[in-house]
Structure formats: C-alpha cells, structure tokens
Amino acid sequence: MKLEEIKNATVVWGALSEEGITFLKNRGGVVVVAEGRPGLVGLYHNVELLKKENIEFVYCVDNVLGLLFYKGKIGKMLVMCKKIELGVLGRPGSLQAALLSKIHGVSVEFMVEGEFDFESRDKGAASLGGKMMVLGNDCGGCVVLGKDEVLGEI
C-alpha cells in the first residue's frame, strides 16, 4: 500500500480483543497495525486476527507512526490496555501512542486487550524475536526494558 492511499486510518496499539475487532469492523477503512515492540504484538497477534476477519490493514514499524500522524493519515487511535479502572494501565509504548494522538488532534479509544503471551516475548530493545541485538549477555544498563505505563489525563 502506498502512503497516498492511506486516509483516515485507525492505528491499533496493543493486543486486539474481540471488542476491538468489532470496533474496527464498524468503523471501516484501513487499519494501521503498529509492530508493538518489544514483544511484536502487532506482528504476532493483530496481523493474524485481521487476516482472519478480512479487515484491510497495513503493517507499520513503530517509529513510522509519527510520519503517518504528521501526514494526516490517521483518523483514530485504538489503544488496547491491560486495565481500565480509575486510570489506564497500558503496555510499553501506550503513552507514546496516546500522546501522538493528542499532539495531532486524533481521538483515542481505550479498550481492554485481548489474550497474548507477553511474558515469553522480548522485554526490550536488546533483542528482536528472541535474538540478542547487543553484544554480550549483560547490556551494561545501556538498554531500558519495556514496562507497563500508567496513562493519566492525556
């Protein structure tokens, strides 16, 4: 898919649930699947669900999301979260996704995430798909591990 073909897309951040799939079907249009580092939830979970449901999507590495927002290609952000109670508890990167939306005037929907095995996935940028990307076993504190994020008033 070419950049100029993307219009009013919905970005999905986090592990899609059945509620999220229903939301995307009702909204229509193309879905931008963020890769969801460090665990690659977009690649290993969301892509398969969207294929199964015949929902049009384009896969996007996390660092390209800013370009899509800047170019006005995004109409909605769907952030799948661990918990939504008095506040929102999201997976790594949720705050970035929500802030990008706010900066660019795009509304955000928060929903509880679907089932995905986050525990057996990568925890930070030192590895990709289980393969170490930093020399040596000890990263010497140079790589920050991903951790859950509390999203306050955004």
Side-chain angles (χ1 to χ4, degrees), residues 5 12 22 26 28 41-42 51 63 66 73 81 93 118 120 123 136:
E5 295 171 5
V12 174
T22 300
N26 290 336
V41 65
K51 281 181 185 177
N63 60 355
K73 302 297 182 177
C81 305
F118 286 96
S120 67
K123 304 290 185 254

Side-chain angles (χ1 to χ4, degrees), residues 14-31:
L16 271 171
S17 62
E18 288 301 318
E19 181 185 18
I21 291 289
T22 300
F23 174 84
L24 295 172
K25 284 181 175 179
N26 290 336
R27 185 164 194 281
V30 71
V31 173

Side-chain angles (χ1 to χ4, degrees), residues 45-116:
H45 179 75
N46 296 341
V47 164
E48 295 306 315
L49 285 177
L50 295 171
K51 281 181 185 177
K52 181 178 150 197
E53 298 293 333
N54 276 335
I55 296 174
E56 182 183 18
F57 70 90
V58 60
Y59 179 74
C60 176
V61 295
D62 294 341
N63 60 355
V64 174
L65 289 177
L67 173 71
L68 294 177
F69 276 98
Y70 175 75
K71 294 283 190 178
K73 302 297 182 177
I74 307 303
K76 190 72 151 180
M77 171 64 84
L78 178 58
V79 178
M80 307 306 295
C81 305
K82 269 179 101 167
K83 277 198 266 187
I84 303 173
E85 291 173 1
L86 298 176
V88 174
L89 180 63
R91 299 285 179 177
S94 298
L95 182 57
Q96 173 197 356
L99 286 173
L100 268 173
S101 299
K102 180 176 183 174
I103 289 166
H104 294 280
V106 172
S107 64
V108 182
E109 286 283 331
F110 295 100
M111 294 181 186
V112 175
E113 67 189 10
E115 295 284 324
F116 181 73

